[in-house]
Amino acid sequence: MIFIDLSVFIDKIKFKIFKLENNERHYLSEDEIIIPVSFSIGEKLNYIRKYIKTLIEFYHIELAYMNIDEKTNIDVIDIVKIEGVMQELLSNYGVRICI
């Protein structure tokens, strides 16, 4: 089973993709998506959507965990929009979101 762990910040999204076998994690990829500052919120959401979609399709991700940076006191609305787009994308691809 392929799992993605997402950590969402206002300026980037860190992710780790791993395979669970016999209750052991075998890491396949670990990286971050830098969200361009010059993009409008619509462009940022589209950029994130395309990037995450590519990861889901390439790795055949089945489970996801999202961690939202709670320390962000500014741009809370943008964080909520990013979280919403990611949850919608994951559910559209049948990826179960773990809480």
Side-chain angles (χ1 to χ4, degrees), residues 31-45:
D31 206 348
E32 61 183 36
I33 303 165
I34 303 297
I35 303 170
V37 177
S38 62
F39 282 9
S40 69
I41 187 60
E43 292 170 323
K44 288 178 183 181
L45 297 175

Side-chain angles (χ1 to χ4, degrees), residues 30-71:
E30 182 175 351
D31 206 348
E32 61 183 36
I33 303 165
I34 303 297
I35 303 170
V37 177
S38 62
F39 282 9
S40 69
I41 187 60
E43 292 170 323
K44 288 178 183 181
L45 297 175
N46 193 38
Y47 179 78
I48 292 165
R49 185 182 293 114
K50 287 180 181 180
Y51 203 113
I52 299 294
K53 175 185 172 198
T54 302
L55 292 175
I56 293 169
E57 291 174 343
F58 184 80
Y59 289 103
H60 306 287
I61 296 170
E62 300 172 61
L63 293 169
Y65 174 75
M66 288 180 41
N67 179 34
I68 308 300
D69 180 25
E70 307 241 347
K71 298 176 199 159

